[in-house]
Amino acid sequence: MTIENIKTYLENKITGSWYANAKIDYDITGKFLNAEIIGNNLKIVWEEMGETFDTVISWFTDYSLEQIYNIWMETA
């Protein structure tokens, strides 16, 4: 699992799915901005309604891409 694979997956899921549906259902806009590996952690940065947020997933290599996305959904 490379950082580029992670970024591509999260871009598709967060921007292409989550916020596409949020726009339709609730008129909420947002998008995936970036992800970076910091030691054993993955930092995910996104924007919602013009405000920037981030979350950190510890020991991210223990999870699949789908699990990382699900963790993001729970913490977002």
Side-chain angles (χ1 to χ4, degrees):
M1 180 174 1
T2 68
I3 190 63
E4 291 309 315
N5 289 350
I6 294 168
K7 287 181 179 182
T8 299
Y9 184 84
L10 293 175
E11 171 74 28
N12 290 330
K13 294 295 281 185
I14 294 172
T15 302
S17 181
W18 180 266
Y19 282 111
N21 291 328
K23 175 67 176 162
I24 293 166
D25 295 340
Y26 306 106
D27 201 29
I28 294 174
T29 59
K31 62 184 174 183
F32 169 81
L33 296 177
N34 195 27
E36 66 178 303
I37 297 170
I38 304 168
N40 294 313
N41 303 321
L42 177 68
K43 180 178 179 181
I44 301 170
V45 182
W46 74 97
E47 179 183 296
E48 182 173 302
M49 302 298 286
E51 198 170 337
T52 302
F53 299 93
D54 65 68
T55 193
V56 175
I57 300 173
S58 299
W59 300 102
F60 74 97
T61 55
D62 289 346
Y63 305 108
S64 69
L65 289 172
E66 182 178 0
Q67 289 172 314
I68 290 170
Y69 171 69
N70 289 337
I71 294 167
W72 172 83
M73 281 194 312
E74 294 295 321
T75 61

